[in-house]
Amino acid sequence: MSGAKRGGGLLVAGTTSDAGKSVVTAGICRWLVRQGVKVAPFKAQNMSLNSFVTREGAEIGRAQAMQAQAARVEPTALMNPVLLKPGSDQSSQVVLLGKAVGEMSARGYHGGRQERLLGVVTDCLEQLRGTYDAVICEGAGSPAEINLRRTDIVNMGIARAARFPVVVVGDIDRGGVFASFFGTTALLSPGDQSLIAGYMVNKFRGDVSLLEPGMEMLRGLTGRATYGVLPFRHGLGIDEEDGLRVSLRGAVRESVVAPPVGEDVLRVAVCAVPLMSNFTDVDALAAEPGVVVRFVDRAEELTDADLVVVPGTRGTVKALRWLRERGLADALLRRAAEGRPVLGICGGFQALGEHIEDEVESRAGSVEGLGLLPVRVRFEREKTLARPVGSALGEPVTGYEIHHGVAEVLGGEPFLDGCRVGSVWGTHWHGSLESDGFRRAFLREVAAAAGRRFVPAPDTSFGELREEQLDLLGDLIEEHADTRALLELIETGAPPGLPFLPPGAP
C-alpha cells in the first residue's frame, strides 16, 4: 500500500451520537499512519466539556487530541476550529480557533452564527489538506438532523464543501442498525446522498455470517456497501466527548484488569458534579492495578472511599450548590477533619477554597467555598490556557490548565500551582496524574493516609497503555474493515452513480 495522495479525505458520520465516530476516526488514523500515510484528524465543530490545550495554547476537544495521537502528529487548533462548551441546557461557550469568544444560546448559534463559521472551518480543513496526505473528519450527532441542515458545518455541510465521501457508523448494540442506515440516507437531499458511500457496523457481538444477509439486503436497497463490521471491545471509551452523559451507577473506568501489587485495593470516588469537565483526569488512576474508580452522586457513597476526587466543572458555583444540596459537602468536611484524602482538580480545587468572586461564569458574585484549602478565587474574563511543567512529591509533573478562575493561595504546603493542607490537595492542573512517577508517589501518600496496604505497580506506564489502546483501534480497522475500499474512498472520493433513496430532503 503506497499511501493516499495529498489532500484526500473521508468523513466518518454516525446514525446517532455515541455511535462510535470518535474511536472509528482514531482507528482509521492509526491504521493509515501505520501504512506510511501522513494523516490528520478533523472535527469542524465539537460540543464537549472534555478539552485539551495544544502547544500553541489553543483549546480543542480531547477527542481530537486523542485522534492526533492516533495519527502520531501534534494536535493543533486547525483540527477542531469550533468547540462548544455547554454552560446550561440553553447556552454554550463558543471557542473559536482555540480561544473563547463568548457565550451563545443554541437558537442564536443555529440562527446565523454557525452558518457564518463555514468559511472558517473550510479554511482550516484546506490548510490540513495542503499539509497531509489524508484528513479523516469526524461528524457530530447524525447527518440527518434535517432541522439543522441549512446551518450544518460539521456533517454534510463540510462533506459537500470538501467533496469528501462519507461512511456512516451505526452502533448495532442499540438495535435497529439497518433501519438507521437506510433512514439516515433517505432523509438526505440528492446532493448529500451522492456522498454517502456506505456504512460501518460498530460493536457487533457474535457470528458475522449471521449479519451478512442483512448487509446484502441493505446493499440491494441502497446501492451502498458496508465497509466493515467492528466487533465489540471493552476499554475503548477513551477521551469521550461529553461528561454530561456519564452513567453514574457502576461507572467504573478501567484500562487494566490486574490484581493489586499490595494486599489492598484503593477505592476512588469521583463526585459527578454538574457540567463535569475533563473527567478523563481519573483515567490514569483507573489504569493502575488495584485502583477502583467510580463516579458517585450520594454522600453515603463516599463512606468507603480511600480517595475522593472533586473534578473539573464548567460551573464551579453550580457544583458547590449541588455538593451542598446532596450532603456531599458535609461528607467532604468530615473526611478532611478525619484526615481522609480529598483531591480537587480545577473547578473542584476552586470549590475546596475559602471564597469565590464570580462575575463571569455564574455571575453569582461573592460565594463561600467549602473552606478546606486557604485559597481565594476570582474569575477573570480572559481564560487561562497553559501547558505547565513542574514537580511535586519529588517527581516531575506535566499538565494543562483551562480555567477562568485565578487562585490566590494564602497558605498550606505548595502542591503544583495549588496547595495541600493535611490530606486535602488542590490544583488547577489537568492531566497531572498521567505523569507516572508523580501518580505513584501520590497514591502512596493516599494509601498511607487511608490506612491501606496498597502498593502502586512499579512499571505502569499510562502513555504506553494509551498507545496500546490506539493500536487496538488500528487493529480493529485493519482486521475488520475493507481497508482497500476505504483507501480508495480516501484517494478518489465517493463512487459515481450512487442511487437516490426517496423521499430525500428538499
Side-chain angles (χ1 to χ4, degrees), residues 471-492:
D471 274 331
L472 179 56
L473 295 180
D475 293 343
L476 286 176
I477 298 298
E478 185 170 343
E479 297 168 10
H480 301 281
D482 187 342
T483 52
R484 185 185 300 272
L486 283 177
L487 190 61
E488 186 175 352
L489 284 180
I490 293 167
E491 291 181 328
T492 64

Side-chain angles (χ1 to χ4, degrees), residues 87-158:
S88 70
D89 291 339
Q90 300 296 325
S91 67
S92 294
Q93 183 181 71
V94 180
V95 178
L96 180 62
L97 294 174
K99 303 297 180 184
V101 295
E103 297 279 334
M104 187 166 289
S105 69
R107 180 177 292 276
Y109 186 68
H110 290 288
R113 178 65 180 269
Q114 184 182 36
E115 197 170 12
R116 293 194 296 273
L117 291 174
L118 181 59
V120 175
V121 301
T122 55
D123 179 63
C124 291
L125 178 55
E126 287 308 306
Q127 289 186 58
L128 292 174
R129 294 180 74 178
T131 305
Y132 293 90
D133 300 330
V135 181
I136 307 302
C137 305
E138 179 189 344
S142 162
E145 308 286 1
I146 55 178
N147 56 315
L148 303 177
R149 176 61 184 91
R150 181 181 62 82
T151 58
D152 170 50
I153 64 171
V154 66
N155 289 305
M156 300 312 300
I158 197 69

Side-chain angles (χ1 to χ4, degrees), residues 425-444:
W425 294 264
T427 176
H428 275 128
W429 289 22
H430 295 291
S432 63
L433 294 166
E434 295 179 18
S435 298
D436 297 326
F438 166 71
R439 183 181 63 254
R440 286 191 278 269
F442 176 71
L443 289 175
R444 283 193 289 269

